[in-house]
Amino acid sequence: ASTAAPSSACSTIDSNIPPYRKPAVVNKSDLVLISNVAVHGPAVDSELEGLLHQARELSENAFNEDFFAEVTKKSGWKLSLLVSKDQSIFFGFAITKVSKGMLSVAK
């Protein structure tokens, strides 16, 4: 085994991998949780369409399914969106249900 120093600091790292970027720091005071978001019918808020699209896309990429089918009055599952105060940045979503005093989280 050689004890010589490598010729470059990152000689084995794939050059196609983007460099690590430190995540942006978001203050809790800059976030809003929008609860009970309607995803079907006339109750859908047109101002939330872009955020709903992003949530749906995230669900499909992360879980390989569209959550819209789960969120219905009959099922009791509710959608909440975590967004910036001005609703310009989508951070994530949760699908939850409270039944018999217990909170269930689907996604």
Side-chain angles (χ1 to χ4, degrees):
S2 172
T3 57
S7 59
S8 71
C10 298
S11 59
T12 60
I13 295 179
D14 184 350
S15 62
N16 293 326
I17 298 173
Y20 173 77
R21 293 185 191 177
K22 187 176 179 181
V25 176
V26 179
N27 293 322
K28 184 178 178 181
S29 61
D30 295 331
L31 298 175
V32 174
L33 184 66
I34 305 171
S35 302
N36 301 327
V37 177
V39 297
H40 302 288
V44 175
D45 185 342
S46 62
E47 292 182 20
L48 297 179
E49 284 181 8
L51 296 169
L52 285 171
H53 175 75
Q54 291 177 68
R56 194 174 206 170
E57 189 173 290
L58 177 59
S59 176
E60 289 170 352
N61 289 330
F63 305 110
N64 292 321
E65 62 184 46
D66 182 358
F67 67 77
F68 275 43
E70 292 179 46
V71 180
T72 65
K73 262 186 185 177
K74 186 175 181 178
S75 73
W77 291 103
K78 309 235 183 243
L79 172 67
S80 296
L81 300 173
L82 184 62
V83 300
S84 59
K85 269 188 179 178
D86 65 0
Q87 298 182 6
S88 65
I89 303 172
F90 168 76
F91 290 102
F93 71 91
I95 297 178
T96 60
K97 173 169 58 171
V98 176
S99 178
K100 298 179 183 175
M102 294 188 315
L103 174 66
S104 298
V105 179
K107 292 177 185 43

